Amino acid sequence: MTDKRKVRKAVFPVAGLGTRFLPATKAVPKEMLTVVDKPVIQYVVDEALEAGIEHLIFVTGRSKAVIEDYFDIQVELDQTLRERNKKAEIELLDGILPKAGTTSFTRQQAPLGLGHAVWCARDLVGNEPFALLLPDMIMKGEKGCLKGMVELYEQSGGNVIAVEECAPDQAHKYGIVGVGDKIGDGFKITKMVEKPAPGTAPSNFFINGRYILQPEIFPILERQERGAGNEIQLTDGMVKLSGAQPFAAYHFRGDTYDCGAKDGFILANVAFALERGDIRPSVEGPLKDLLQSLK
Protein backbone atom coordinates (compact mmCIF):
# COMPACT_ATOMS: atom_id res chain seq x y z
CA MET A 1 0.00 0.00 0.00
CA THR A 2 1.34 3.42 -0.97
CA ASP A 3 -1.44 5.58 0.50
CA LYS A 4 0.19 8.23 2.72
CA ARG A 5 -2.66 10.63 3.30
CA LYS A 6 -2.05 12.98 6.21
CA VAL A 7 -3.08 11.75 9.63
CA ARG A 8 -5.45 14.51 10.77
CA LYS A 9 -7.71 12.78 13.29
CA ALA A 10 -7.07 10.96 16.55
CA VAL A 11 -9.39 8.64 18.46
CA PHE A 12 -9.34 8.42 22.26
CA PRO A 13 -11.35 5.51 23.73
CA VAL A 14 -12.41 6.90 27.13
CA ALA A 15 -15.48 4.78 27.91
CA GLY A 16 -13.74 2.39 30.33
CA LEU A 17 -15.07 2.07 33.88
CA GLY A 18 -11.71 2.34 35.64
CA THR A 19 -12.44 -0.49 38.06
CA ARG A 20 -8.77 -0.76 39.05
CA PHE A 21 -9.09 2.68 40.67
CA LEU A 22 -12.26 2.23 42.67
CA PRO A 23 -13.54 3.91 44.77
CA ALA A 24 -12.10 7.10 43.20
CA THR A 25 -13.49 6.28 39.75
CA LYS A 26 -17.01 5.76 41.09
CA ALA A 27 -17.50 9.51 40.59
CA VAL A 28 -14.40 10.69 38.68
CA PRO A 29 -13.46 9.24 35.26
CA LYS A 30 -10.05 7.58 35.40
CA GLU A 31 -8.93 9.82 32.53
CA MET A 32 -9.52 12.85 34.77
CA LEU A 33 -7.28 11.67 37.61
CA THR A 34 -4.38 14.11 37.82
CA VAL A 35 -0.70 13.53 37.27
CA VAL A 36 0.72 16.49 39.22
CA ASP A 37 -1.78 19.17 38.11
CA LYS A 38 -3.06 17.92 34.75
CA PRO A 39 -5.57 15.15 34.03
CA VAL A 40 -4.11 12.05 32.42
CA ILE A 41 -6.15 12.71 29.27
CA GLN A 42 -4.51 16.12 28.84
CA TYR A 43 -1.06 14.54 28.52
CA VAL A 44 -2.35 12.21 25.82
CA VAL A 45 -4.11 15.01 23.94
CA ASP A 46 -0.94 17.14 24.12
CA GLU A 47 0.97 14.26 22.52
CA ALA A 48 -1.55 14.14 19.68
CA LEU A 49 -1.44 17.88 19.10
CA GLU A 50 2.38 17.82 19.05
CA ALA A 51 2.13 15.28 16.21
CA GLY A 52 -0.04 17.61 14.13
CA ILE A 53 -3.45 16.11 14.88
CA GLU A 54 -6.24 18.52 13.90
CA HIS A 55 -9.38 16.77 15.15
CA LEU A 56 -9.88 14.99 18.49
CA ILE A 57 -12.49 12.21 18.67
CA PHE A 58 -13.51 10.87 22.08
CA VAL A 59 -15.41 7.60 22.39
CA THR A 60 -17.18 8.05 25.73
CA GLY A 61 -19.65 6.25 27.94
CA ARG A 62 -22.13 7.04 30.67
CA SER A 63 -20.73 9.18 33.52
CA LYS A 64 -17.98 10.59 31.26
CA ALA A 65 -19.62 13.97 30.56
CA VAL A 66 -16.98 15.70 32.70
CA ILE A 67 -14.41 14.95 29.97
CA GLU A 68 -16.51 16.88 27.46
CA ASP A 69 -16.90 19.71 29.99
CA TYR A 70 -13.13 19.78 30.56
CA PHE A 71 -12.50 20.52 26.89
CA ASP A 72 -14.98 23.42 26.89
CA ILE A 73 -15.13 26.89 28.42
CA GLN A 74 -16.23 27.01 32.07
CA VAL A 75 -18.05 30.34 31.92
CA GLU A 76 -18.26 31.06 35.66
CA LEU A 77 -14.61 30.18 36.25
CA ASP A 78 -13.47 32.22 33.25
CA GLN A 79 -15.47 35.23 34.38
CA THR A 80 -14.16 35.02 37.96
CA LEU A 81 -10.55 34.75 36.83
CA ARG A 82 -10.92 37.79 34.58
CA GLU A 83 -12.58 39.82 37.31
CA ARG A 84 -9.67 39.00 39.62
CA ASN A 85 -7.10 39.68 36.88
CA LYS A 86 -5.61 36.16 37.18
CA LYS A 87 -3.62 36.47 33.97
CA ALA A 88 -1.45 33.38 34.43
CA GLU A 89 -4.45 31.13 35.10
CA ILE A 90 -6.39 32.60 32.17
CA GLU A 91 -3.45 32.02 29.86
CA LEU A 92 -3.07 28.45 31.13
CA LEU A 93 -6.71 27.55 30.49
CA ASP A 94 -6.78 29.30 27.11
CA GLY A 95 -3.73 27.26 26.11
CA ILE A 96 -5.45 23.90 26.63
CA LEU A 97 -8.80 24.86 25.07
CA PRO A 98 -9.24 23.18 21.66
CA LYS A 99 -10.29 25.37 18.78
CA ALA A 100 -14.01 25.45 18.09
CA GLY A 101 -15.14 22.51 15.97
CA THR A 102 -12.02 20.40 16.51
CA THR A 103 -13.43 18.00 19.12
CA SER A 104 -16.14 15.37 18.67
CA PHE A 105 -17.75 12.94 21.10
CA THR A 106 -19.58 9.69 20.44
CA ARG A 107 -20.94 7.01 22.76
CA GLN A 108 -19.94 3.39 23.20
CA GLN A 109 -23.16 2.17 24.80
CA ALA A 110 -21.80 -1.23 25.89
CA PRO A 111 -18.34 -2.32 27.11
CA LEU A 112 -17.54 -4.61 24.20
CA GLY A 113 -13.78 -4.03 23.98
CA LEU A 114 -11.24 -1.78 22.31
CA GLY A 115 -12.10 -2.99 18.82
CA HIS A 116 -15.73 -2.03 19.36
CA ALA A 117 -14.74 1.39 20.75
CA VAL A 118 -12.68 2.09 17.63
CA TRP A 119 -15.55 0.97 15.41
CA CYS A 120 -17.86 3.42 17.19
CA ALA A 121 -15.74 6.28 15.79
CA ARG A 122 -16.10 5.16 12.17
CA ASP A 123 -18.43 7.93 10.97
CA LEU A 124 -16.42 10.66 12.65
CA VAL A 125 -13.14 9.37 11.19
CA GLY A 126 -14.51 8.76 7.70
CA ASN A 127 -12.43 7.33 4.89
CA GLU A 128 -8.99 8.47 6.02
CA PRO A 129 -6.13 7.23 8.19
CA PHE A 130 -6.34 8.03 11.89
CA ALA A 131 -4.35 7.82 15.07
CA LEU A 132 -5.53 5.83 18.08
CA LEU A 133 -4.16 6.69 21.53
CA LEU A 134 -5.03 4.67 24.61
CA PRO A 135 -5.73 7.28 27.30
CA ASP A 136 -4.28 5.21 30.17
CA MET A 137 -0.77 5.42 28.76
CA ILE A 138 1.26 8.61 29.10
CA MET A 139 4.75 8.79 27.67
CA LYS A 140 7.82 10.87 28.31
CA GLY A 141 10.70 11.13 25.86
CA GLU A 142 12.79 13.54 23.82
CA LYS A 143 10.17 13.25 21.07
CA GLY A 144 6.48 12.50 21.48
CA CYS A 145 5.64 8.92 20.60
CA LEU A 146 2.92 9.82 18.10
CA LYS A 147 5.13 12.44 16.45
CA GLY A 148 7.75 9.78 15.80
CA MET A 149 5.05 7.47 14.46
CA VAL A 150 3.80 10.11 12.03
CA GLU A 151 7.35 10.62 10.76
CA LEU A 152 7.68 6.87 10.18
CA TYR A 153 4.24 6.74 8.54
CA GLU A 154 5.36 9.40 6.05
CA GLN A 155 8.07 6.94 4.96
CA SER A 156 6.14 3.69 5.14
CA GLY A 157 2.47 4.44 4.53
CA GLY A 158 0.11 1.68 5.56
CA ASN A 159 -0.37 1.14 9.28
CA VAL A 160 2.03 1.95 12.11
CA ILE A 161 2.10 0.57 15.66
CA ALA A 162 4.34 1.86 18.46
CA VAL A 163 6.35 -0.77 20.29
CA GLU A 164 8.77 -1.00 23.18
CA GLU A 165 11.06 -3.75 24.44
CA CYS A 166 10.26 -5.88 27.47
CA ALA A 167 12.21 -8.63 29.19
CA PRO A 168 11.83 -11.78 27.04
CA ASP A 169 10.34 -13.72 29.94
CA GLN A 170 7.59 -11.08 30.22
CA ALA A 171 6.49 -11.22 26.57
CA HIS A 172 3.54 -13.50 27.36
CA LYS A 173 1.84 -10.56 29.12
CA TYR A 174 1.59 -8.36 26.01
CA GLY A 175 0.66 -8.10 22.37
CA ILE A 176 3.92 -8.95 20.59
CA VAL A 177 5.08 -8.24 17.03
CA GLY A 178 7.49 -10.09 14.76
CA VAL A 179 10.52 -8.14 13.51
CA GLY A 180 11.15 -7.64 9.79
CA ASP A 181 13.35 -5.32 7.73
CA LYS A 182 14.43 -2.04 9.30
CA ILE A 183 12.65 1.12 8.17
CA GLY A 184 13.36 4.57 9.62
CA ASP A 185 13.14 4.47 13.42
CA GLY A 186 11.46 1.09 13.34
CA PHE A 187 10.89 -2.01 11.29
CA LYS A 188 8.37 -3.89 9.20
CA ILE A 189 6.06 -6.13 11.20
CA THR A 190 5.95 -9.77 10.14
CA LYS A 191 3.28 -10.98 12.57
CA MET A 192 1.21 -9.99 15.60
CA VAL A 193 0.40 -12.27 18.53
CA GLU A 194 -1.76 -11.34 21.52
CA LYS A 195 -0.22 -12.68 24.76
CA PRO A 196 1.75 -15.58 23.27
CA ALA A 197 2.32 -18.67 25.38
CA PRO A 198 5.58 -18.48 27.38
CA GLY A 199 8.58 -19.26 25.19
CA THR A 200 6.71 -18.84 21.88
CA ALA A 201 6.87 -15.05 21.36
CA PRO A 202 8.34 -13.97 17.99
CA SER A 203 10.25 -11.12 19.72
CA ASN A 204 10.26 -9.04 22.89
CA PHE A 205 8.72 -5.97 21.20
CA PHE A 206 5.30 -5.25 22.70
CA ILE A 207 2.52 -2.95 21.50
CA ASN A 208 2.39 0.07 23.83
CA GLY A 209 -0.96 1.73 23.09
CA ARG A 210 -0.35 3.99 20.09
CA TYR A 211 -1.52 3.22 16.55
CA ILE A 212 -1.93 4.75 13.10
CA LEU A 213 -4.55 2.78 11.20
CA GLN A 214 -6.13 2.90 7.78
CA PRO A 215 -9.95 3.16 7.55
CA GLU A 216 -10.18 -0.35 6.12
CA ILE A 217 -10.03 -1.54 9.74
CA PHE A 218 -13.66 -0.44 10.25
CA PRO A 219 -15.46 -3.04 8.08
CA ILE A 220 -13.22 -5.71 9.61
CA LEU A 221 -14.19 -4.65 13.14
CA GLU A 222 -17.86 -4.53 12.13
CA ARG A 223 -17.72 -8.25 11.29
CA GLN A 224 -15.19 -9.19 13.97
CA GLU A 225 -16.27 -11.99 16.28
CA ARG A 226 -15.69 -11.62 19.99
CA GLY A 227 -12.32 -12.86 21.18
CA ALA A 228 -10.50 -12.83 24.51
CA GLY A 229 -12.65 -11.65 27.40
CA ASN A 230 -15.72 -12.02 25.17
CA GLU A 231 -14.82 -8.65 23.66
CA ILE A 232 -14.11 -7.41 20.14
CA GLN A 233 -10.32 -7.28 20.12
CA LEU A 234 -8.48 -4.68 18.05
CA THR A 235 -5.48 -6.99 17.65
CA ASP A 236 -7.66 -9.63 15.97
CA GLY A 237 -8.83 -7.01 13.50
CA MET A 238 -5.30 -5.80 12.82
CA VAL A 239 -4.16 -9.37 12.12
CA LYS A 240 -6.84 -9.64 9.45
CA LEU A 241 -5.96 -6.23 8.00
CA SER A 242 -2.28 -7.23 7.83
CA GLY A 243 -3.22 -9.76 5.16
CA ALA A 244 -4.04 -6.89 2.81
CA GLN A 245 -1.95 -3.96 4.05
CA PRO A 246 1.56 -3.58 5.51
CA PHE A 247 2.23 -2.80 9.16
CA ALA A 248 5.34 -1.06 10.47
CA ALA A 249 6.53 -0.70 14.07
CA TYR A 250 7.86 2.54 15.51
CA HIS A 251 10.39 1.78 18.26
CA PHE A 252 9.59 4.27 21.02
CA ARG A 253 12.58 5.00 23.24
CA GLY A 254 11.40 6.71 26.37
CA ASP A 255 9.37 6.10 29.50
CA THR A 256 5.79 4.87 29.44
CA TYR A 257 3.51 4.97 32.48
CA ASP A 258 0.36 2.87 32.64
CA CYS A 259 -1.88 5.24 34.57
CA GLY A 260 -4.65 2.68 34.55
CA ALA A 261 -2.66 0.80 37.19
CA LYS A 262 -1.91 2.17 40.65
CA ASP A 263 1.87 1.64 40.46
CA GLY A 264 2.15 3.29 37.03
CA PHE A 265 0.02 6.20 38.16
CA ILE A 266 2.17 6.82 41.24
CA LEU A 267 5.41 6.55 39.25
CA ALA A 268 4.05 9.00 36.67
CA ASN A 269 3.30 11.55 39.39
CA VAL A 270 6.81 11.23 40.80
CA ALA A 271 8.52 11.40 37.39
CA PHE A 272 6.59 14.43 36.13
CA ALA A 273 6.87 16.24 39.47
CA LEU A 274 10.65 15.85 39.47
CA GLU A 275 10.76 17.27 35.95
CA ARG A 276 9.09 20.50 37.11
CA GLY A 277 11.37 23.29 38.24
CA ASP A 278 8.64 24.76 40.45
CA ILE A 279 8.04 21.47 42.28
CA ARG A 280 11.27 19.48 42.33
CA PRO A 281 13.06 21.56 45.00
CA SER A 282 10.28 20.94 47.51
CA VAL A 283 9.70 17.23 46.84
CA GLU A 284 13.10 15.78 45.91
CA GLY A 285 14.53 15.88 49.44
CA PRO A 286 11.45 14.40 51.16
CA LEU A 287 11.28 11.66 48.53
CA LYS A 288 14.90 10.71 49.16
CA ASP A 289 14.27 10.72 52.91
CA LEU A 290 11.21 8.53 52.47
CA LEU A 291 13.13 6.00 50.36
CA GLN A 292 15.99 6.01 52.84
CA SER A 293 13.58 5.29 55.69
CA LEU A 294 12.34 2.17 53.90
CA LYS A 295 15.77 0.51 53.87
Side-chain angles (χ1 to χ4, degrees), residues 266-267 270 285-295:
I266 292 168
L267 289 171
V270 172
L287 280 172
K288 289 180 178 178
D289 292 342
L290 177 60
L291 291 173
Q292 185 67 30
S293 71
L294 297 176
K295 294 182 179 179

Side-chain angles (χ1 to χ4, degrees), residues 137-258:
M137 315 300 289
I138 61 175
M139 301 175 180
K140 186 161 68 70
E142 292 185 7
K143 178 193 298 182
C145 183
L146 187 61
K147 183 176 182 180
M149 293 174 67
V150 168
E151 292 173 355
L152 177 59
Y153 169 79
E154 290 170 350
Q155 301 176 56
S156 67
N159 305 269
V160 178
I161 302 173
V163 299
E164 298 178 44
E165 291 184 81
C166 66
D169 63 356
Q170 299 296 305
H172 65 281
K173 298 180 179 180
Y174 305 100
I176 300 294
V177 302
V179 180
D181 295 338
K182 181 176 174 55
I183 177 171
D185 288 331
F187 52 85
K188 296 180 180 179
I189 292 175
T190 59
K191 66 188 303 184
M192 287 175 274
V193 184
E194 183 65 30
K195 296 182 179 178
T200 66
S203 77
N204 66 327
F205 284 97
F206 69 93
I207 300 170
N208 74 359
R210 299 290 188 267
Y211 312 78
I212 294 174
L213 299 171
Q214 295 294 330
E216 286 77 16
I217 192 69
F218 292 124
I220 293 174
L221 293 174
E222 185 172 12
R223 299 186 298 269
Q224 183 68 47
E225 296 180 357
R226 298 191 189 190
N230 199 33
E231 295 180 339
I232 298 173
Q233 298 292 336
L234 178 64
T235 301
D236 294 340
M238 292 193 301
V239 169
K240 290 183 180 179
L241 182 59
S242 68
Q245 295 180 359
F247 276 73
Y250 170 70
H251 184 186
F252 175 65
R253 296 171 173 85
D255 297 313
T256 298
Y257 301 95
D258 180 1

Side-chain angles (χ1 to χ4, degrees), residues 75-113:
V75 177
E76 294 82 1
L77 175 61
D78 185 73
Q79 181 178 341
T80 300
L81 292 175
R82 295 184 187 282
E83 289 174 352
R84 297 177 181 177
N85 200 29
K86 297 283 188 177
K87 293 182 179 179
E89 289 81 358
I90 293 169
E91 188 174 315
L92 172 67
L93 295 180
D94 286 347
I96 64 172
L97 185 67
K99 295 179 181 179
T102 63
T103 55
S104 297
F105 297 82
T106 190
R107 281 287 186 97
Q108 182 187 20
Q109 285 88 351
L112 298 178

